[in-house]
């Protein structure tokens, strides 16, 4: 007899996720069209040598002295977590003498210079991301404990420490079906090549006094704004009173700017609506795919919601599961009246005072991607602290190796 745990997990009835859809959601693809709707940003095309640097093991940083002149060289060893660096204060020996420091930016001087120039242009305070992902999981290594960067080395450290960035580089097309429009794609839909991706580094000017409570994720299906929810999963007592205003602002923004201009029918976008809540800023566009976090909804729930103009057979494909969940503005139209379809109101979901999400502050965000406490503590002292930590760590490893050799004699 099969137990409940032996039963197969129901597969989400997603429409095929194609490579073309993933590429349409890449920042460099949609930014030129929606530039006036987004906070100030600069896009830097990335070269093959720089991408190889990001993919390489270890973290070797350029000398800080070369930030203004990436073509200059120095003998200063500023390597972190790298076998090529010699810890400050460590005696020279035959092993360390063979490890000579080479500034990695010498292999990509144009990119390094562009990054340094852009950081200066944007006021010396930027937030980085690649085509799809920001290194939110690596803020533990930044001295500010945020994604704010003040120098090229801050950016490199975040990018090379992030699993999210690694996903962009190595697994961008995971789970995709073949795209007829991409001739270079394998006929079997295999995703073992990222040659079709034009990688860019996006540097966004830091938004002063960013209120994460006013960031929202919006889900679009069949070019209909289906539902909206908070991105910051904490309870804010002022938000319920703003629901009507915020929903109207987002609906108007969507209808006027996004609905008929984005390439695909299904997608997810993030917005920011700072006080006095009159201007909506487009922050990001994400794929309509399981990889995108549904936050306060579930994909099973959203795939079962009724959408005006969407064939009932597609909505009912779950055999009765995950029907539309009534919200504060869900449509009750039977789909026969065009006027009722035009006034479809998306559900706006917030974290409630007594919701479990409201008490998630005890669980560190992205904890699965973090490092041991000693490393995190050392990162608080910046590069010097990390280098001192590596020096101590190497001494421990050396003592252990010597002890093992003594036991073998």
């Amino acid at each position: 007899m099969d137990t409940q745990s032996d039963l197969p997990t129901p597969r989400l009835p997603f429409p095929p996720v194609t490579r073309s859809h993933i590429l349409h959601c890449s920042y460099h693809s949609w930014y030129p069209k929606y530039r006036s709707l987004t906070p100030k940003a600069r896009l830097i095309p990335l070269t093959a040598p720089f991408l190889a640097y990001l993919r390489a093991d270890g973290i070797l940083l350029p000398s800080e002295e070369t930030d203004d002149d990436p073509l200059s060289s120095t003998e200063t060893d500023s390597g972190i977590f790298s076998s090529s660096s010699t810890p400050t204060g460590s005696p020279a020996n035959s092993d360390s003498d063979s490890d000579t420091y080479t500034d990695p930016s010498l292999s990509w001087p144009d990119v390094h210079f562009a990054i340094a120039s852009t950081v200066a242009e944007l006021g010396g305070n930027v937030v980085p991301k690649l085509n799809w992902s920001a290194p939110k999981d690596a803020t533990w290594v930044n001295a500010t404990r945020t994604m704010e960067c003040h120098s090229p080395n801050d950016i490199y450290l975040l990018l090379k420490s992030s699993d999210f960035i690694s996903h962009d580089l190595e697994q961008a097309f995971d789970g995709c079906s073949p795209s007829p429009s991409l001739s270079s794609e394998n006929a079997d839909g295999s995703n073992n090549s990222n040659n079709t991706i034009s990688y860019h580094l996006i540097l966004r000017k830091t938004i002063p006094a960013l209120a994460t409570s006013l960031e929202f994720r919006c889900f679009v299906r069949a070019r209909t704004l289906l539902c909206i929810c908070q991105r910051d999963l904490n309870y804010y007592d002022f938000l319920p009173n703003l629901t009507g205003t915020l929903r109207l602002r987002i609906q108007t923004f969507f209808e006027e700017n996004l609905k008929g201009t984005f390439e695909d029918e299904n997608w997810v976008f993030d917005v920011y609506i700072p006080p006095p809540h009159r201007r909506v800023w487009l922050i990001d566009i994400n794929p309509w795919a399981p990889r995108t976090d549904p936050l306060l909804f579930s994909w099973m729930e959203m795939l079962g919601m009724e959408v005006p103009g969407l064939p009932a057979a597609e909505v009912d494909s779950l055999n009765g599961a995950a029907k539309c969940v009534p919200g504060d503005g869900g449509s009750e139209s039977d789909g026969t009246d065009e006027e009722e379809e035009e006034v479809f109101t998306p559900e706006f979901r917030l974290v409630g005072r007594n919701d479990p999400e409201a008490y998630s502050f005890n669980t560190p965000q992205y904890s699965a991607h973090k490092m041991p406490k000693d490393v995190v503590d050392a990162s608080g002292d910046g590069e010097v602290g990390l280098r001192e930590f590596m020096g101590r760590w190497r001494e421990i490893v050396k003592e252990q190796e010597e002890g093992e050799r003594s036991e073998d004699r």
Side-chain angles (χ1 to χ4, degrees):
M1 179 183 296
D2 291 336
T3 62
Q4 184 173 359
S5 60
D6 295 328
L7 297 177
T9 303
R11 183 177 180 179
L12 292 173
F14 268 94
V17 180
T18 63
R19 290 191 180 192
S20 60
H21 177 53
I22 299 299
L23 291 173
H24 291 160
C25 296
S26 173
Y27 200 99
H28 85 286
S29 175
W30 58 261
Y31 177 75
K33 184 185 302 182
Y34 303 128
R35 181 172 182 171
S36 63
L37 309 176
T38 66
K40 190 173 184 179
R42 295 291 183 266
L43 278 64
I44 301 173
L46 300 181
T47 61
F50 184 80
L51 294 174
Y53 166 74
L54 291 184
R55 291 185 170 106
D57 292 335
I59 301 179
L60 187 64
L61 300 178
S63 171
E64 293 284 358
E65 297 178 5
T66 66
D67 282 352
D68 293 331
D69 184 7
L71 296 177
S72 66
S73 62
T74 178
E75 297 301 324
T76 303
D77 181 358
S78 61
I80 298 178
F81 299 164
S82 169
S83 59
S84 299
S85 62
T86 302
T88 302
S90 295
N93 53 55
S94 59
D95 293 333
S96 62
D97 286 345
S98 63
D99 293 334
T100 57
Y101 169 72
T102 302
D103 190 328
S105 66
L106 296 178
S107 298
W108 27 272
D110 293 342
V111 172
H112 186 55
F113 184 81
I115 292 173
S117 301
T118 302
V119 171
E121 177 194 352
L122 296 179
N125 199 342
V126 300
V127 175
K129 69 170 294 179
L130 285 195
N131 297 41
W132 298 276
S133 303
K136 294 181 179 180
D137 58 322
T139 54
W140 60 270
V141 80
N142 199 2
T144 64
R145 295 294 194 274
T146 68
M147 288 199 300
E148 294 182 12
C149 296
H150 306 288
S151 71
N153 276 2
D154 290 345
I155 296 169
Y156 306 148
L157 190 58
L158 277 178
L159 296 180
K160 287 187 66 66
S161 302
S162 171
D163 289 342
F164 295 172
I165 297 302
S166 295
H167 185 277
D168 276 16
L169 294 173
E170 307 297 343
Q171 300 171 300
F173 293 140
D174 273 11
C176 289
S177 300
S179 301
S181 60
L182 296 178
S183 58
S184 60
E185 184 169 337
N186 297 334
D188 60 358
S190 58
N191 304 312
N192 57 357
S193 174
N194 289 339
N195 294 334
T196 57
I197 300 175
S198 176
Y199 281 103
H200 287 69
L201 174 65
I202 295 91
L203 297 180
R204 294 187 284 200
K205 184 177 178 65
T206 300
I207 300 176
L210 174 70
T212 58
S213 58
L214 294 169
E215 290 184 292
F216 303 96
R217 176 152 291 181
C218 311
F219 300 87
V220 179
R221 190 176 190 191
R223 298 199 179 276
T224 298
L225 183 57
L226 188 63
C227 48
I228 307 165
C229 71
Q230 288 176 241
R231 290 189 66 195
D232 182 348
L233 301 184
N234 288 293
Y235 171 71
Y236 296 96
D237 57 5
F238 67 90
L239 281 180
N241 293 331
L242 291 174
T243 299
T245 298
L246 295 173
R247 176 164 41 205
L248 178 61
R249 293 281 185 267
I250 294 173
Q251 278 187 283
T252 303
F253 176 82
F254 170 73
E255 294 287 338
E256 294 180 352
N257 300 291
L258 304 179
K259 182 174 182 177
T261 58
F262 191 68
E263 288 87 345
D264 299 312
E265 292 191 347
N266 308 318
W267 76 94
V268 181
F269 66 95
D270 298 330
V271 296
Y272 177 55
I273 313 178
H277 316 301
R278 295 173 183 169
R279 175 73 185 267
V280 178
W281 292 99
L282 178 64
I283 300 299
D284 209 353
I285 292 179
N286 305 288
W288 179 273
R291 69 178 67 181
T292 299
D293 191 342
L295 298 173
L296 294 179
F297 296 94
S298 72
W299 280 115
M300 186 72 75
E301 176 185 5
M302 287 188 289
L303 291 169
M305 287 182 175
E306 296 179 2
V307 183
L310 193 67
E314 183 174 344
V315 178
D316 293 339
S317 61
L318 295 181
N319 296 323
K323 294 297 183 182
C324 182
V325 177
D328 55 0
S331 171
E332 298 180 356
S333 171
D334 60 4
T336 60
D337 190 331
E338 292 184 1
E339 293 184 0
E340 290 187 9
E341 289 181 3
E342 291 176 359
V343 296
F344 174 81
T345 304
E347 179 176 355
F348 199 125
R349 188 170 292 181
L350 303 174
V351 175
R353 184 187 300 273
N354 298 319
D355 289 349
E357 293 86 354
Y359 303 97
S360 63
F361 52 81
N362 286 327
T363 303
Q365 195 172 28
Y366 312 120
S367 58
H369 305 272
K370 294 182 178 178
M371 296 290 284
K373 184 177 184 299
D374 290 343
V375 180
V376 178
D377 291 341
S379 70
D381 296 327
E383 182 177 334
V384 174
L386 289 170
R387 292 178 62 184
E388 290 178 351
F389 173 81
M390 283 304 300
R392 294 195 300 270
W393 178 256
R394 287 180 177 177
E395 291 175 0
I396 294 172
V397 172
K398 183 177 180 181
E399 291 175 359
Q400 289 178 341
E401 291 176 347
E402 291 177 349
E404 292 174 356
R405 284 195 294 265
S406 298
E407 293 177 357
D408 292 340
R409 290 173 183 170

